[in-house]
Structure formats: C-alpha cells, structure tokens
Amino acid sequence: MGTKSFLTRAKGLLRIQNQLVRECLAELLATFVMMTITLASAAQKVTFFETKGNLLTGYLGSALGVMAGIYTAGGISGAHMNPAFSLAVCLIEQFPWWKFPIFVVVQTLGSFISAGAVYILYYDAIWHYSNGTLTVFGPQETASIFVTYPADYVSVANGFLDQVIGTGVLIIVVLGIMDARNKAVPKGLEPVVVALLVLSIECSMGANCGCPLNPARDIGPRLFIYLAGWGPEVFRWVK
C-alpha cells in the first residue's frame, strides 16, 4: 500500500497540466523515436555492409520510424515530426500559426538529440569504419549516416524541385488520409498506411537526394555532426 501510495503521489506531481508543454514533449518524443530508428538503420547500411547499395535497409528504417513516431504521440501532438507538414496544416487552418515556430524548434531539437543517441549507439562502429577520421565525403565517409546528400549529377535547382515534389506528394496523401470525407483507413492503421506511403516515395524518388522529405530530419542531425567533429564540410552541397 505504501509503495502504491508513493507512486500515485509521484505520478500526480510529475503530471504536466499545461497542454502546450504536453504537446511539445509528445512532438519531441515522436520525432526522437522516428529519427533514432531512421538514423540507426542508416548507420547499419553504411558501416555494416560491404557496399552502400542496400538502400532498402535505410528506406525500411525510415518508413518504420515514421510509423513508430505516429503511434508514439499521434493522439497528443498529432505527431507532425516535419516542419513541412506543420506548415501545410497551418495553411489549411487545421493548426494555429502561433504554434508553428514552436513545433519547428521542437522537431529540430528531437532530430538533433536522436543524432546524438545514434552516434553514441554506434560510436565504436563509426570510428572503426572511418579508420579514426570523421569525413563527409570519400570511400570511408560516415556523414551519410546522419544526413542525405544529392547524387553528383544533381544541381541545386533539380535538388530543390526533387524535394518539393516528394514532400508535396507526402503531404497531399497524408491530408487525404486525414480527411474524414475521403475513403477511410481502418481506425488504428493510419500510421501503417503512412509508413507504406513513405516507403513508396523513397523507393520511387530517392535516387536524386536520398528523399529526406523533412527539413528537421536534415537540419538537426547536420548541426549535430558539425559540432561532433565532422566540421563545416557537412554544409557543402556536393563533393
């Protein structure tokens, strides 16, 4: 009884009453979960395979990460996990504009923290694979664990258009899934359908830029690896 009473009191003290704080923490956790799975799968693709041609490993990890993130906090914050999606729901007046910059910061922070978690998780593998040198380009580079880079033939304009089209398809279909007047997805399976959508976009549109589809997915980890020792080269466009 004493233990139960203590846990009940502790739960009451730790319970967060402010709705905005609850949503921000949920969004942070959802983004962290999504990005940790995404980056960890990329780490395995880069460091544990003889070639980097096993793209399906990264694509599956990214899609399953999205599904896990939505299941984690979809009922609390909506699990946007993506500034582009937050902007889209603001434009159609389904999300207040004043929350938009807050969510962008939270999503970027969640991605930054997840990059740190994956760096710690695969610390030995990263240093072993890179021969003790953290590089952005070259045969033993490890920056692509954390961020995506365009193919050598992709121009800045083409890369921008690539992301506009890919992110646009993602947002249009997700909004269609959310629309109650549209063909309904079985309740509880929405995250699975969104994960399949992400996987299909990555498999069909990932050749140019790796299909990040998410500014926070790029900016947060890029800032982390810049601070962690990869240096300013992380902000270069191409080799």
Side-chain angles (χ1 to χ4, degrees):
M1 290 293 293
T3 302
K4 184 176 180 181
S5 177
F6 171 78
L7 292 175
T8 300
R9 290 197 301 271
K11 182 179 178 181
L13 291 172
L14 294 173
R15 183 175 178 82
I16 299 172
Q17 302 294 336
N18 186 282
Q19 182 62 27
L20 177 60
V21 175
R22 287 163 62 92
E23 291 178 1
C24 287
L25 289 175
E27 189 70 12
L28 179 71
L29 184 59
T31 307
F32 172 81
V33 168
M34 176 192 72
M35 287 299 301
T36 299
I37 295 173
T38 297
L39 298 181
S41 64
Q44 293 193 69
K45 182 189 73 174
V46 170
T47 61
F48 298 133
F49 290 96
E50 290 297 323
T51 68
K52 298 181 183 180
N54 198 330
L55 295 176
L56 190 58
T57 301
Y59 290 164
L60 280 174
S62 180
L64 294 175
V66 170
M67 181 182 70
I70 298 174
Y71 274 125
T72 298
I76 303 171
S77 67
H80 296 186
M81 304 180 294
N82 187 338
F85 182 76
S86 296
L87 176 62
V89 289
C90 284
L91 290 172
I92 61 175
E93 300 182 347
Q94 291 188 10
F95 191 70
W97 278 102
W98 66 269
K99 285 186 179 180
F100 173 67
I102 300 173
F103 264 48
V104 171
V105 171
V106 169
Q107 291 156 0
T108 305
L109 178 61
S111 295
F112 181 92
I113 296 172
S114 71
V118 171
Y119 177 66
I120 293 170
L121 177 65
Y122 283 124
Y123 180 86
D124 289 341
I126 290 170
W127 283 95
H128 173 75
Y129 178 82
S130 65
N131 293 322
T133 304
L134 301 178
T135 57
V136 178
F137 304 112
Q140 301 300 112
E141 62 82 18
T142 46
S144 61
I145 292 172
F146 301 94
V147 296
T148 61
Y149 285 94
D152 293 343
Y153 56 81
V154 178
S155 65
V156 174
N158 193 188
F160 176 77
L161 187 61
D162 174 271
Q163 288 305 290
V164 169
I165 294 173
T167 306
V169 170
L170 173 68
I171 291 173
I172 289 169
V173 179
V174 171
L175 292 178
I177 293 170
M178 292 169 53
D179 191 345
R181 299 165 297 178
N182 208 344
K183 188 173 181 62
V185 173
K187 187 174 177 57
L189 291 181
E190 297 90 346
V192 177
V193 175
V194 174
L196 290 173
L197 167 65
V198 170
L199 181 60
S200 68
I201 293 173
E202 290 183 324
C203 287
S204 60
M205 304 184 195
N208 283 340
C209 299
C211 226
L213 308 175
N214 184 340
R217 182 255 180 275
D218 183 89
I219 296 171
R222 199 179 295 267
L223 288 173
F224 173 82
I225 63 174
Y226 168 69
L227 296 173
W230 274 262
E233 276 197 330
V234 302
F235 298 107
R236 285 178 55 188
W237 173 254
V238 293
K239 298 179 183 179

